[in-house]
């Protein structure tokens, strides 16, 4: 996608355009995470100045209804007053000690209360660290080298996970980024999502070598894709049968699709779970956890090393703990379900009435509208989407004051602050956008 600033972009967002120019001189691509660069939709990324509730405001002073929500964490809405107050009070007590605190026990207990499959957990500073560490623990626990992941799933940028599918179902992986060594990639097998026969076949062929299967139980990273009936049960049955560790990567779905994540929705008990995003309440927190039998291989109890200067940081843990306690007391999930259902159905009607056929997926308050007429169950289906049409829709919505994820292959998120009037304004903006593109 052409990322050269168009005159239109410069005119509409002159300050963001100038900041982007300056940023690109000193930061690769002008961003600290690639998806923010608008490469998937073209044009200049908006530089954000502030956010509150369901909206964000850019450097040019324009305010948008926000469906990115920092890629998932902001389920309470931006700058929730109780979260902000808790962070403020915590900061006055110092920002980091590099020593254990009572807060970390409380956050662990809050997570364990929501995720019965987790008996112990270790905090990290990102989802990437959580999944990277979980894989090391699974390999240390089983003594096996190989891992299985699914096409279209993203688990952060750890080397073992930046691997794409090899040619055959059980053939070994190929690096998906320069810098990932072939000898690392060959221990990762990537297979199609929502295909029970593919995972059965891999385990029939090399099951005794497989340490772990890592999966997004509801995928957000090819766009939102739900597991088909029986798929997760098949993954659980097969990993159990072969003694492989089943890792649910719930960095996005944890406390999002339900308080207990996808494992609560689909009633599956994984061996390990990775978390992030919402458990930090917008500050950097990740976590990996599971049965004590597995987690007790982690240093300093066991020999599998894992560490982090800011793991369990008191400010970040305070933001996360306040967020999780609010989610427990407010139980926003039924309202989030209703609001997101109304949004997705409204956008679907607007598309249909404008002659567009899109295929929408939704689980809880995460959703994606794919610009393809066919239902999307895996990467093959998602990749058939018309990316150019999505890019035009993205920019038309931006002009109408709605900020969607700048990629067809990302999920959108609804927060507690997306009330009926905001949902209605979004649907109206979509109607106008579909008629323009
Ligand atoms: P982080 O290292 O970005 O905290 O988490 C990595 C990660 C792990 N697992 C899942 C299921 C994830 O969705 C993510 C990160 N998600 C992306 C959004 N697709 C973060 C946005 C970005 O990369 O800037």
């Amino acid at each position: 996608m052409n990322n050269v600033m168009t005159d239109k972009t410069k005119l509409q967002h002159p300050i963001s355009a100038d900041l982007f120019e300056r940023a690109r001189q000193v930061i690769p691509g002008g961003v600290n995470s690639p998806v923010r660069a608008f490469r998937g939709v073209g044009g200049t990324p908006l530089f954000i100045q502030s956010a509150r509730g369901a909206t964000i405001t850019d450097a040019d002073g324009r305010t948008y209804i926000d469906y990115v929500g920092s890629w998932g964490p902001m389920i309470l809405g931006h700058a929730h007053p109780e979260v902000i107050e808790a962070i403020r009070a915590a900061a006055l007590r110092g920002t980091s000690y590099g020593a254990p605190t009572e807060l970390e026990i409380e956050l662990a207990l809050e997570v364990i209360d929501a995720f019965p499959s987790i008996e112990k957990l270790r905090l990290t500073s990102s989802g990437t660290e959580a999944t990277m560490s979980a894989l090391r623990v699974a390999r240390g626990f089983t003594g096996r080298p190989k891992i299985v992941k699914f096409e279209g799933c993203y688990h952060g940028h750890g080397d073992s996970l930046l691997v794409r599918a090899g040619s055959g179902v059980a053939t070994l992986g190929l690096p998906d980024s320069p810098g990932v060594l072939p000898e690392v990639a060959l221990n990762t097998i990537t297979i199609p999502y929502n295909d029970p026969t593919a995972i059965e076949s891999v385990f029939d062929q090399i099951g005794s070598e497989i340490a772990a299967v890592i999966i997004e139980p509801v995928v957000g990273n090819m766009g939102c894709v739900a597991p088909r009936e029986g798929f997760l049960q098949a993954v659980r049955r097969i990993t159990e049968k072969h003694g492989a560790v089943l890792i649910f990567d719930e960095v996005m779905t944890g406390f999002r699709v339900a308080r207990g994540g996808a494992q609560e929705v689909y009633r599956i008990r994984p061996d390990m779970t990775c978390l992030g995003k919402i458990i930090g309440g917008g500050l950097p927190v990740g976590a990996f956890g599971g049965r004590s039998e597995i987690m007790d291989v982690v240093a300093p109890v066991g020999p599998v090393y894992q560490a982090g200067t800011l793991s369990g940081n008191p400010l970040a843990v305070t933001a996360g703990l306040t967020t999780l306690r609010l989610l427990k007391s407010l139980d926003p999930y039924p309202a989030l379900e209703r609001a997101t259902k109304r949004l997705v159905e409204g956008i679907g009607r607007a598309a249909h009435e404008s002659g567009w056929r899109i295929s929408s997926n939704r689980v809880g308050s995460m959703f994606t509208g794919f610009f393809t007429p066919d239902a999307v169950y895996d990467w093959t289906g998602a990749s058939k989407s018309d990316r150019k049409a999505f890019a035009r829709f993205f920019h038309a919505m931006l002009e109408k004051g709605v900020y969607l994820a700048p990629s067809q292959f990302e999920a959108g998120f609804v927060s507690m602050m997306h009330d009926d009037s905001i949902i209605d304004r979004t649907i109206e903006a979509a109607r106008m956008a579909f008629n323009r593109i």
Side-chain angles (χ1 to χ4, degrees), residues 110-378:
E110 201 63 41
V111 169
I112 289 167
D113 180 62
F115 287 80
S117 70
I118 298 177
E119 294 173 340
K120 282 185 184 157
L121 78 150
R122 167 66 60 86
L123 296 180
T124 63
S125 297
S126 69
T128 293
E129 283 181 273
T131 58
M132 194 174 72
S133 306
L135 289 182
R136 184 181 310 135
V137 167
R139 285 172 158 148
F141 177 71
T142 60
R144 300 177 181 177
K146 291 192 171 24
I147 58 167
V148 173
K149 69 179 287 289
F150 295 86
E151 235 171 353
C153 289
Y154 172 70
H155 304 288
H157 59 89
D159 277 11
S160 292
L161 292 159
L162 289 182
V163 175
R164 59 187 159 82
S167 51
V169 164
T171 52
L172 308 179
L174 303 168
D176 204 13
S177 162
V180 174
L181 297 177
E183 53 268 38
V184 169
L186 63 79
N187 279 307
T188 302
I189 293 123
T190 303
I191 57 177
Y193 188 82
N194 267 329
D195 180 350
T197 55
I199 187 166
E200 189 103 53
S201 169
V202 170
F203 273 87
D204 287 346
Q205 294 179 54
I206 56 170
S208 61
E209 299 176 57
I210 298 173
V213 169
I214 185 165
I215 188 168
E216 286 187 72
V218 172
V219 188
N221 288 289
M222 59 173 120
C224 180
V225 172
R228 299 190 80 166
E229 185 69 34
F231 174 60
L232 293 178
Q233 289 74 7
V235 174
R236 176 64 287 181
R237 175 175 48 76
I238 293 163
T239 46
E240 196 100 56
K241 176 182 167 190
H242 291 271
V245 175
L246 175 56
I247 302 172
F248 267 22
D249 177 352
E250 298 226 42
V251 166
M252 188 181 284
T253 54
F255 295 96
R256 168 59 63 178
V257 298
R259 180 167 171 260
Q263 56 196 270
E264 175 186 314
V265 175
Y266 297 99
R267 308 163 70 82
I268 301 275
R269 198 179 180 89
D271 300 306
M272 294 184 77
T273 300
C274 297
L275 296 166
K277 296 182 190 281
I278 290 174
I279 70 167
L283 267 64
V285 179
F288 62 98
R291 303 200 313 264
S292 296
E293 175 196 13
I294 298 175
M295 291 302 289
D296 283 346
V297 306
V298 180
V301 181
V304 178
Y305 196 69
Q306 192 281 338
T309 301
L310 296 174
S311 298
N313 170 272
L315 234 55
V317 169
T318 296
L321 191 53
T322 307
T323 298
L324 299 194
R325 285 175 172 164
L326 280 166
L327 288 172
K328 189 173 181 181
S329 60
L330 297 171
D331 185 15
Y333 297 102
L336 284 168
E337 182 81 26
R338 284 193 300 275
T340 314
K341 185 170 184 292
R342 211 157 72 75
L343 173 74
V344 170
E345 289 176 354
I347 291 176
R349 273 195 306 277
H352 184 73
E353 288 159 10
S354 315
W356 282 92
R357 290 182 61 207
I358 65 169
S359 170
S360 296
N361 288 344
R362 175 186 70 80
V363 179
S365 55
M366 56 190 273
F367 66 95
T368 298
F370 293 96
F371 275 70
T372 174
D374 305 320
V376 176
Y377 299 112
D378 56 21

Side-chain angles (χ1 to χ4, degrees), residues 391-421:
R392 294 196 304 274
F393 181 72
F394 171 85
H395 283 288
M397 289 292 269
L398 206 55
E399 284 184 36
K400 295 294 173 197
V402 177
Y403 187 76
L404 300 174
S407 164
Q408 170 68 95
F409 307 116
E410 291 286 356
F413 302 97
V414 172
S415 83
M416 271 176 40
M417 301 305 286
H418 287 76
D419 60 20
D420 285 354
S421 69

